[in-house]
Amino acid sequence: MLRNKSVVSINDIGDDELSEIFKTAGDMEKVLRSGRSLELMKGKIMATFFYEPSTRTRLSFESAMQRLGGSVISVSEAKSSSVAKGETLADTVRMAEGYSDIIVIRHPMEGAARLASRFTSKPIVNAGDGSGQHPTQTVLDLYTIRKELGEISGKTITVVGDLRYGRTVHSLVMALSRFNAKVNLVAPPILKMPDHVVSMLPADFHLNMTENLSDVLPETDVLYVTRIQKERFSDPNEYQSVIGSYKINLETVEAMKEKSIIMHPLPRVDEISPDVDSSPKAAYFRQANNGVPVRMAIISLILG
Amino acid sequence: MDEQTLKISKIKDGTVIDHIPPGKALRVLSILRIDDHVENSISIGIRVTSRRLGTKDVIKIENRDLEKFEVDKISLIAPDATISIVSNYEIIEKFPVELPQRILGIVKCSNANCITNMKEPVQGEFSLLSKKPLLIRCNFCERTMNEREITASLI
Ligand SMILES: Nc1ncnc2c1ncn2[C@@H]1O[C@H](COP(=O)(O)OP(=O)(O)OP(=O)(O)O)[C@@H](O)[C@H]1O
Ligand SMILES: [Mg+2]
Ligand SMILES: [Zn+2]
């Protein structure tokens, strides 16, 4: 169903397609565990264009393609090559079309992946566009919730941190609105979720916006923590106070339900104190490990 | 005709843009690129009384047709405007402006970090979300723009 489609926004993936990805990712996990090698993508080439630094996402895409038996070509510092010469993204993509079967793009500007998809018939996968979307991260987040808690529907997901610039949470909240989930958005006023994202959500979606984390902790099934960047604050004192009030530590863990989890798209800095890592509720490393099988599923379904 | 009425003479051929929201006539003129170099004869009514709307603006331009993109632009700031085409003093065609579902090439995205604001070979492209209140969404960056932002970003 995803065959030959571009994945730019989480809304480009329909409900049936999402179930198909979950199922395939489960199969891929088994293959990875068994140590078997796959040749599903033999002879296929993935081109990656990262116009913004990223280690995790990029390695995860490249590893996924290679695990599937395909190969990868990449422009590491895309910034220094074509952009410096004044080439448009449109031209870069038209050029890449001849070299590859699937194109993965991370770009600092919103809408970049959508633009790319307009200039090639090859499928484009958005690996993050400015503060816009990061759909494969969202799929792996949903996959993690399902795997950890059995299902997404009926669960309460509390998202805390930078809801304004954090693209992973924009895609995530949009996706959660398609499940029967309840979402608490916890952020200081200057980092609250932008209207353009909220306006995309259905009116009957259970969305609760608050500044107070401890109020919503007891009902939370998934605590999704994001990084708060110092650069977003003009006043360093304000940054310190925000960081202080949203820091996740063993006390936070105590206040949560028995069967609940903590997620984070990583890299984390100070948001989660390291002594939380050994709690069974700390799901962020397990979440990161789902990145490869989920991306293997997405790539193989697109090129399958 | 009494002391209090000033008669505006009829136009022979041209276009009447009626039912413009009060005060927006000057915006419409700027959309039509009508400035101090204008050569047509134009009458402009600003905040004139209207039976239907209370007050309205109205513009009558001699010897001028509107292009489709101009009508689309007018629809973004005067969604209830009526266009009448006058030929030999008679109205030969009359139609309401209509907000297009896909708004192409007439609005610049107000998100400075949108890729369409870079040197790329694309025009601003938006989907109409709601007519009242006016709300459109950029088909690239997915940001929404309200009436105020649209008015400030007409190309
Ligand atoms: N020859 C003309 N020169 C200038 N203006 C004209 C001419 N003929 C009509 N108009 C103007 O065109 C507009 C539409 O004319 P029409 O006779 O349809 O008005 P109306 O009955 O008020 O209709 P509506 O219900 O649209 O307000 C009016 O503002 C009218 O003054
Ligand atoms: Mg009238
Ligand atoms: Zn835009």
Side-chain angles (χ1 to χ4, degrees):
Chain A
M1 279 179 291
L2 264 189
R3 209 186 138 76
N4 253 322
K5 271 205 194 170
S6 286
V7 174
V8 173
S9 157
I10 188 65
N11 289 341
D12 293 339
I13 304 176
D15 292 344
D16 293 352
E17 292 163 339
L18 204 50
S19 321
E20 205 184 5
I21 296 172
F22 291 157
K23 194 188 156 294
T24 311
D27 298 343
M28 294 300 174
E29 268 198 84
K30 281 184 211 122
V31 172
L32 289 175
R33 263 199 306 272
S34 75
R36 262 190 306 134
S37 60
L38 290 174
E39 302 218 320
L40 280 171
M41 291 295 115
K42 194 165 187 231
K44 303 273 191 201
I45 298 175
M46 178 169 87
T48 62
F49 287 87
F50 278 67
Y51 292 87
E52 212 182 48
S54 144
T55 353
R56 225 158 307 265
T57 303
R58 179 166 167 184
L59 286 180
S60 155
F61 268 108
E62 299 189 353
S63 162
M65 187 58 172
Q66 289 178 356
R67 292 271 191 220
L68 290 165
S71 49
V72 179
I73 53 174
S74 61
V75 188
S76 48
E77 269 300 301
K79 218 180 273 167
S80 54
S81 54
S82 39
V83 174
K85 294 184 196 122
E87 186 178 50
T88 61
L89 181 58
D91 280 359
T92 304
V93 166
R94 284 191 273 222
M95 171 279 292
E97 181 175 76
Y99 302 165
S100 55
D101 303 293
I102 184 168
I103 301 168
V104 178
I105 294 187
R106 150 92 44 116
H107 198 281
M109 301 193 81
E110 287 96 51
R114 183 69 69 201
L115 180 132
S117 73
R118 297 281 185 93
F119 289 91
T120 172
S121 56
K122 297 283 164 69
I124 296 281
V125 178
N126 185 4
D129 61 329
S131 62
Q133 290 258 333
H134 193 356
T136 62
Q137 173 75 45
T138 299
V139 176
L140 90 85
D141 290 344
L142 297 173
Y143 181 77
T144 303
I145 298 174
R146 248 179 59 119
K147 200 173 134 187
E148 298 275 334
L149 299 177
E151 57 181 340
I152 301 165
S153 156
K155 297 287 186 277
T156 298
I157 291 94
T158 297
V159 191
V160 58
D162 183 352
L163 309 188
R164 178 164 175 173
Y165 301 98
R167 62 184 158 213
T168 55
V169 299
H170 299 169
S171 297
L172 178 64
V173 172
M174 269 162 63
L176 289 170
S177 74
R178 286 160 53 181
F179 293 85
N180 182 27
K182 184 187 167 196
V183 172
N184 294 310
L185 299 178
V186 185
I190 58 158
L191 294 179
K192 74 190 228 311
M193 184 143 296
D195 288 343
H196 68 88
V197 179
V198 177
S199 73
M200 271 182 127
L201 304 170
D204 60 354
F205 181 43
H206 305 285
L207 194 67
N208 167 37
M209 303 201 206
T210 173
E211 283 179 52
N212 193 328
L213 179 60
S214 50
D215 282 358
V216 295
L217 274 182
E219 62 164 15
T220 297
D221 295 298
V222 178
L223 181 61
Y224 195 102
V225 187
T226 63
R227 192 149 68 93
I228 295 179
Q229 288 172 291
K230 208 176 193 157
E231 307 88 84
R232 306 296 186 202
F233 295 81
S234 49
D235 176 0
N237 294 325
E238 196 180 359
Y239 168 74
Q240 285 308 334
S241 92
V242 166
I243 277 289
S245 56
Y246 295 135
K247 177 138 186 163
I248 311 302
N249 50 33
L250 284 176
E251 228 171 281
T252 325
V253 175
E254 278 305 302
M256 292 174 67
K257 286 185 198 173
E258 183 70 37
K259 201 173 177 289
S260 61
I261 55 167
I262 302 170
M263 293 172 64
H264 190 299
L266 304 180
R268 73 159 152 190
V269 186
D270 295 324
E271 312 83 51
I272 304 179
S273 99
D275 52 10
V276 173
D277 297 358
S278 56
S279 161
K281 288 176 187 162
Y284 30 92
F285 297 119
R286 300 194 291 273
Q287 173 189 6
N289 284 332
N290 291 331
V292 172
V294 163
R295 292 189 172 101
M296 285 171 78
I298 294 173
I299 296 166
S300 66
L301 289 169
I302 292 175
L303 292 181
Chain B
M1 179 108 347
D2 60 47
E3 287 268 293
Q4 292 171 16
T5 316
L6 173 68
K7 193 167 161 39
I8 291 177
S9 54
K10 285 199 151 194
I11 56 178
K12 180 166 182 285
D13 301 295
T15 303
V16 178
I17 308 164
D18 198 1
H19 310 128
I20 301 168
K24 298 276 191 205
L26 296 171
R27 279 269 168 200
V28 174
L29 291 173
S30 90
I31 285 173
L32 300 177
R33 307 261 186 261
I34 290 169
D35 57 18
D36 45 359
H37 302 293
V38 64
E39 289 178 350
N40 320 53
S41 127
I42 300 179
S43 17
I44 305 160
I46 294 181
R47 292 195 168 274
V48 296
T49 48
S50 150
R51 247 171 305 141
R52 222 167 84 187
L53 304 171
T55 57
K56 67 169 184 187
D57 288 5
V58 54
I59 299 173
K60 304 179 182 194
I61 315 170
E62 188 112 43
N63 299 320
R64 172 73 140 84
D65 296 329
L66 303 185
E67 302 284 343
K68 160 96 168 80
F69 79 93
E70 292 174 321
V71 176
D72 287 349
K73 272 165 100 168
I74 292 170
S75 75
L76 287 170
I77 64 154
D80 297 316
T82 313
I83 313 274
S84 300
I85 298 171
V86 178
S87 173
N88 201 21
Y89 302 104
E90 298 291 328
I91 293 177
I92 56 158
E93 201 188 329
K94 182 172 170 176
F95 57 92
V97 299
E98 204 189 339
L99 280 159
Q101 284 304 319
R102 181 162 166 272
I103 296 148
L104 183 66
I106 55 179
V107 179
K108 183 173 127 54
C109 185
S110 63
N111 171 14
N113 203 44
C114 176
I115 192 76
T116 60
N117 289 321
M118 297 299 286
K119 216 190 91 230
E120 294 288 343
V122 287
Q123 293 182 296
E125 186 190 305
F126 301 82
S127 298
L128 180 64
L129 295 185
S130 145
K131 292 187 178 181
K132 277 182 187 161
L134 183 57
L135 198 65
I136 64 176
R137 182 185 303 287
C138 174
N139 287 351
F140 290 87
C141 73
E142 305 189 338
R143 296 296 170 84
T144 51
M145 287 171 71
N146 61 24
E147 189 179 344
R148 185 181 46 78
E149 292 163 318
I150 294 167
T151 307
S153 307
L154 283 175
I155 293 168

